[in-house]
Amino acid sequence: MPSKEKILLVEDDKVMAYLLEENLKSAGYEVRICHDGETALVYFRQRPYDLCLLDVMLPKMDGFSLASTIRRENKRVPFIFLTARNILQDKLNGFKTGADDYIVKPFDIHELLYRIQAVLRRTNGEVPEIPQEKKLGEYRFLPLTRELIKGGQTQKLSAKEAALINLFIDNQNQLISRQMLLQKVWGEDNFFNSKSMDVYLTRIRKLFANDPELTLMNIHGTGYRFVVRQESV
């Protein structure tokens, strides 16, 4: 079995870092997290990585300075900038340091995974494949394009609808807590996000209402179970 691709994730927002780590691991990558530029450089020098994900605004050493230092020491390793600032000069500075890609927050996790896969394919060849399609009862779910297809009809999904459905498919027939859903999709468990999630869960129930094989069950006081009455993924 080929070894997992190793990613160095440098992100000072600890909640964001946790969510990215969970999604990257689910996609088949090995992940090392650090929260400031100086520590990231220490980690980078300790072992080889296949790709670096670098936030721009970092304590102790900003992402551009970190990338420049990494590039001087290693001409080959690819890196992608993650930033909340959609400023042209920042993008230009990022590419001047040798960045392979630049993605602005907030971003869809499936888009990030696709970009990581594309960068690694150019540099390394074999990388973990992102599922292009998942089967669910009478439906086909396309994570990258956020589409739900039944027969000849295609339903375009919002980013949060797609993220929730993806979690339910990957954990079908298993209990998922409200807290887990909120942390993975919204990034924080609070009153307003909880109310927002209830709206999205109602939409998802309506999407699958015509398929008797699929039921989104509310386990009172605990969470949810997406019941699939036949093997469909």
Side-chain angles (χ1 to χ4, degrees):
M1 178 181 292
S3 61
K4 294 181 178 180
E5 302 285 334
K6 301 174 183 64
I7 293 178
L8 177 63
L9 170 59
V10 192
E11 169 61 66
D12 64 330
D13 183 326
K14 293 184 179 181
V15 173
M16 172 68 77
Y18 168 77
L19 292 173
L20 288 173
E21 178 188 30
E22 290 298 301
N23 280 282
L24 290 168
K25 286 182 176 179
S26 294
Y29 299 105
E30 181 181 330
V31 184
R32 181 70 180 268
I33 292 179
C34 52
H35 303 297
D36 67 78
E38 288 184 359
T39 304
L41 191 57
V42 171
Y43 286 173
F44 182 80
R45 288 168 172 166
Q46 288 177 347
R47 62 176 299 186
Y49 289 92
D50 298 288
L51 182 137
C52 301
L53 289 177
L54 310 178
D55 190 12
V56 171
M57 305 298 291
L58 293 169
K60 298 185 181 180
M61 179 187 290
D62 66 79
F64 294 141
S65 300
L66 174 61
S68 296
T69 304
I70 287 175
R71 183 55 72 234
R72 285 196 299 270
E73 297 185 8
N74 188 314
K75 302 295 185 184
R76 179 179 174 276
V77 64
F79 55 87
I80 297 173
F81 278 117
L82 310 176
T83 180
R85 305 202 314 177
N86 189 14
I87 300 173
L88 177 59
Q89 190 57 50
D90 277 3
K91 293 183 180 181
L92 294 175
N93 289 339
F95 287 119
K96 284 179 182 177
T97 63
D100 293 82
D101 208 343
Y102 190 109
I103 186 166
V104 178
K105 303 173 185 175
F107 49 80
D108 183 87
I109 187 63
H110 297 105
E111 179 185 359
L112 175 62
L113 292 174
Y114 181 82
R115 292 193 184 201
I116 289 172
Q117 190 182 77
V119 169
L120 288 174
R121 185 180 291 114
R122 291 198 301 266
T123 56
N124 296 338
E126 291 187 18
V127 298
E129 287 296 325
I130 302 170
Q132 302 297 309
E133 179 180 308
K134 296 183 179 182
K135 190 77 168 57
L136 189 64
E138 300 175 3
Y139 296 85
R140 292 159 50 219
F141 172 57
L142 282 60
L144 291 177
T145 57
R146 303 204 304 262
E147 293 176 317
L148 191 66
I149 302 172
K150 181 181 180 182
Q153 295 188 333
T154 299
Q155 175 72 45
K156 189 69 176 178
L157 304 170
S158 70
K160 285 184 169 54
E161 286 171 336
L164 285 167
I165 289 172
N166 199 54
L167 279 170
F168 286 134
I169 292 175
D170 290 345
N171 298 275
Q172 61 178 279
N173 298 320
Q174 299 178 37
L175 179 63
I176 308 178
S177 69
R178 282 184 66 88
Q179 183 179 27
M180 174 184 171
L181 290 174
L182 285 164
Q183 289 288 350
K184 283 186 172 291
V185 179
W186 274 264
E188 186 178 359
D189 179 0
N190 61 41
F191 175 80
F192 298 104
N193 288 343
S194 181
K195 291 298 183 183
S196 175
M197 185 173 75
D198 288 338
V199 173
Y200 281 97
L201 292 175
T202 298
R203 292 182 190 174
I204 289 172
R205 284 192 176 94
K206 289 180 179 178
L207 286 173
F208 296 113
N210 294 326
D211 191 336
E213 300 296 330
L214 308 173
T215 306
L216 178 56
M217 296 180 61
N218 184 358
I219 311 301
H220 184 68
T222 307
Y224 302 89
R225 180 177 286 117
F226 196 75
V227 178
V228 182
R229 293 181 177 81
Q230 61 182 15
E231 188 65 30
S232 58
V233 178

